[in-house]
Amino acid sequence: MELSEKTAPDIPPGLIQPNLEAVPEELQRYRQWIVWKAEEITRRDGTKKVTKVPYNPATGKKASTKRKEHWGTFDDVYEAYLLEGYTGIGFVFTADDPFVGVDLDNCFDESGNLRDDARRAIDELQSFTERSPSGKGLHIICKGKLPGKGHCDNKAGREMYQEGRFFTITADVVEGVGTVEAGGAALETLYSDWFGQSASADAIHTVDDLEWDPEAPRVSLDDMRISENVKTLVRTGEGPLAKDYPKYGSDEVDRSEALYWVCQEMVSAGENKESILTVLTDKEHFLAGAALDRRGGNRESAKEWLWKYPLAKVLADSQTIVNLFDDLSPLEQVERAPLRRGFRFISGAKLIAKNSPVQWLVERYIEANAMVILFGEPGVGKSFIALDMACCIATGETWQGFPVKQGPVFYIAGEGHAGIGRRLGAWCKYRGVPLGSLYVSTTAAPLTEWEAVKQVVKGIKAKVEQYGAPALIVIDTLARNFGGLDENSNKDMGVTAGVILTH
């Protein structure tokens, strides 16, 4: 085929026309090519969005990044692009090829200068680098291996993929870097610095196909055991939680990031996957657009996407918490300092750039995933405050007017069990709500004694398997659950803190 005999179709305004003759020959050799069209879709709120829809170059039908029969050779897409009026061409990453794709959004400032992380990626990888079709982002393709399929950070505008995705290819080469090279150690370092140690665990998690249980009970959004603020975020994308999930470079809600957190909330509340998938693909809900827009409004396909990306991982992480209770070590081993790998220094500016919104358990007072000590003089009401917070978190009710993260609560009570029962009854009557998932121990637990710790873990695990991971564990009071040691001794406190924090 004489390439010069072809003429490219019209490109929608604002998009870069692909330079087909500059596509690296190493990529051309793989039969992993598709064509794509820029298609406008209408969101639920009436706004418009242009999305890139892949097509099979041979049949003209929509293509899947999972089905090899939907792809073609480079010559196939070359001809289809020139003759059939497609917007551009794309390359599909698979587990069978040696390539990794790095996708960076909004890389250039008003003067055309690269932001720091993009500058670093180009300098360190020194592999094929092109402008994205919008001209605002960058694609870098190099050879290498990631810990898994890939990782995405929407807030920072950074993605890395090994398989299961396609890149639109413009071959509008940046700074003359037009050949595909090995990423080597630079690729591993970038991945670690950008996504952290958790990225490895995220990436290696494999997802089974969705198994839909038609007999499973369905719970509506109104009846889910999550807070009203979470429900508002799902319905309208508004409310006090919306500000915690800004889209990179705009004031809009980042629905993908918010969706992941909402899945965590629903799983923690004990909702089943059928209920979660039904609610989060309901076109009447703002947050459902995160899945529906990706799948052209097809609800069943959106459920598959929602399962594969956020929900299956959230459920796996929840089960991991359960499994942790199976692997407790004796107290003597807990006292050892954990191994710290990859020690290095990082600039304060980078730490600032890595900042993410605070995840509150009780807004303005207690962060999620934190250890908090409530202290004061005897008789000032510490237990009343702790119990009130516990009830609010278990039910999703606001605490003193501040939103909470709803979830199961385990209350290890060292004394006054009859009084606690009366207080709980009075709280429910005053608030006018059922208590929810709050569980109170029948006795104190000497947490400095290994056998007692195992009993506590066993009791928590049994509830976790039924109702999900706890949002809060309360030890009230420390003195009554301290096994006779001295709570004013740093040495004795270190023993108990090791047990609580590690497990």
Side-chain angles (χ1 to χ4, degrees):
M1 178 178 66
E2 288 292 326
L3 304 183
S4 61
E5 294 178 359
K6 308 297 181 181
T7 57
D10 293 334
I11 299 295
L15 295 183
I16 293 176
Q17 176 177 328
N19 181 2
L20 300 180
E21 296 189 27
V23 175
E25 291 186 5
E26 189 161 8
L27 296 178
Q28 293 185 32
R29 291 198 291 267
Y30 286 79
R31 193 182 185 282
Q32 295 171 201
W33 291 90
I34 50 89
V35 283
W36 62 275
K37 290 182 180 179
E39 299 184 358
E40 188 177 76
I41 61 173
T42 301
R43 297 186 175 104
R44 187 191 64 82
D45 60 3
T47 59
K48 306 290 186 181
K49 175 185 177 182
V50 175
T51 188
K52 306 176 185 70
V53 181
Y55 284 83
N56 184 328
T59 66
K61 297 180 179 180
K62 289 183 179 179
S64 168
T65 57
K66 296 180 180 179
R67 303 184 63 177
K68 294 182 179 181
E69 64 268 28
H70 288 185
W71 316 333
T73 66
F74 180 73
D75 282 347
D76 292 335
V77 298
Y78 196 119
E79 184 171 356
Y81 165 73
L82 294 179
L83 300 180
E84 303 299 332
Y86 292 99
T87 309
I89 64 174
F91 182 81
V92 181
F93 293 89
T94 76
D96 298 326
D97 68 57
F99 305 116
V100 170
V102 180
D103 187 358
L104 303 173
D105 296 333
N106 300 316
C107 294
F108 302 89
D109 62 21
E110 294 179 355
S111 301
N113 299 314
L114 284 166
R115 72 184 196 215
D116 290 344
D117 58 344
R119 174 79 273 157
R120 178 188 174 192
I122 294 175
D123 292 345
E124 295 187 9
L125 294 177
Q126 285 292 299
S127 190
F128 174 72
T129 304
E130 62 168 12
R131 288 180 183 266
S132 64
S134 68
K136 300 176 182 179
L138 290 179
H139 296 158
I140 301 175
I141 299 178
C142 62
K143 289 179 283 189
K145 288 293 181 183
L146 299 179
K149 297 179 181 180
H151 201 78
C152 172
D153 183 350
N154 286 324
K155 185 175 294 297
R158 295 189 292 240
E159 301 174 66
M160 280 192 190
Y161 295 114
Q162 183 85 50
E163 60 178 286
R165 298 294 181 95
F166 83 96
F167 269 15
T168 56
I169 300 295
T170 65
D172 185 5
V173 174
V174 175
E175 299 186 358
V177 187
T179 59
V180 179
E181 307 293 341
L187 180 66
E188 297 177 8
T189 301
L190 281 174
Y191 190 84
S192 175
D193 288 352
W194 286 354
F195 305 121
Q197 292 182 348
S198 63
S200 299
D202 294 343
I204 61 175
H205 171 61
T206 58
V207 179
D208 295 328
D209 292 338
L210 172 61
E211 294 184 2
W212 186 265
D213 182 0
E215 304 299 324
R218 312 290 164 75
V219 177
S220 69
L221 179 61
D222 288 337
D223 293 332
M224 283 188 169
R225 294 169 292 182
I226 55 178
S227 72
E228 288 301 320
N229 288 325
V230 178
K231 293 176 183 178
T232 299
L233 180 64
V234 173
R235 289 191 189 100
T236 67
E238 300 173 349
L241 297 175
K243 66 181 183 297
D244 291 338
Y245 303 97
K247 183 178 291 185
Y248 181 79
S250 79
D251 295 329
E252 298 179 21
V253 173
D254 187 327
R255 289 183 299 188
S256 295
E257 185 174 353
L259 188 70
Y260 183 83
W261 179 77
V262 166
C263 284
Q264 289 180 315
E265 293 292 293
M266 291 179 172
V267 168
S268 294
E271 308 299 349
N272 60 31
K273 67 179 186 296
E274 287 78 15
S275 296
I276 296 172
L277 293 174
T278 298
V279 167
L280 295 180
T281 56
D282 183 342
K283 65 180 181 180
E284 298 301 318
H285 297 150
F286 166 83
L287 214 56
L292 291 171
D293 287 357
R294 284 176 168 84
R295 296 304 174 97
N298 184 304
R299 191 174 188 185
E300 295 308 311
S301 181
K303 288 177 182 177
E304 294 282 352
W305 179 88
L306 185 62
W307 167 253
K308 179 176 180 180
Y309 292 100
L311 185 54
K313 181 187 180 304
V314 169
L315 286 168
D317 288 347
S318 178
Q319 185 59 45
T320 297
I321 294 175
V322 175
N323 293 340
L324 284 175
F325 292 110
D326 288 330
D327 302 314
L328 292 177
S329 302
L331 289 176
E332 293 78 11
Q333 296 182 15
V334 172
E335 292 177 358
R336 296 185 304 172
L339 177 63
R340 302 293 183 187
R341 300 182 61 185
F343 175 84
R344 61 191 177 87
F345 288 102
I346 185 171
S347 72
K350 287 186 177 180
L351 286 176
I352 293 173
K354 290 174 178 284
N355 282 345
S356 58
V358 174
Q359 301 296 314
W360 293 107
L361 185 60
V362 179
E363 190 168 302
R364 289 180 57 181
Y365 283 90
I366 301 178
E367 289 189 37
N369 304 312
M371 180 177 179
V372 176
I373 297 177
L374 184 62
F375 65 93
E377 294 294 328
V380 297
K382 298 186 295 296
S383 292
F384 278 97
I385 293 174
L387 195 62
D388 186 27
M389 282 186 172
C391 291
C392 289
I393 291 168
T395 59
E397 292 283 294
T398 60
W399 183 79
Q400 301 298 316
F402 296 102
V404 304
K405 174 184 177 181
Q406 186 177 14
V409 175
F410 299 98
Y411 202 100
I412 302 174
E415 60 187 357
H417 292 83
I420 289 176
R422 290 191 291 270
R423 292 174 189 174
L424 292 176
W427 189 95
C428 292
K429 183 177 181 180
Y430 177 78
R431 292 275 187 159
V433 296
L435 192 54
S437 300
L438 187 148
Y439 307 97
V440 182
S441 69
T442 55
T443 65
L447 297 177
T448 54
E449 299 175 12
W450 180 239
E451 289 303 319
V453 170
K454 289 195 291 186
Q455 287 299 315
V456 171
V457 168
K458 182 179 178 181
I460 291 178
K461 179 183 175 183
K463 295 298 183 183
V464 167
E465 289 175 336
Q466 286 182 279
Y467 303 107
L472 176 68
I473 298 176
V474 179
I475 301 173
D476 181 26
T477 63
L478 177 61
R480 291 287 184 174
N481 291 284
F482 208 41
L485 297 186
D486 182 4
E487 62 184 294
N488 296 311
S489 163
N490 289 335
K491 179 179 178 181
D492 288 353
M493 279 295 294
V495 174
T496 304
V499 175
I500 297 168
L501 289 174
T502 304
H503 303 304

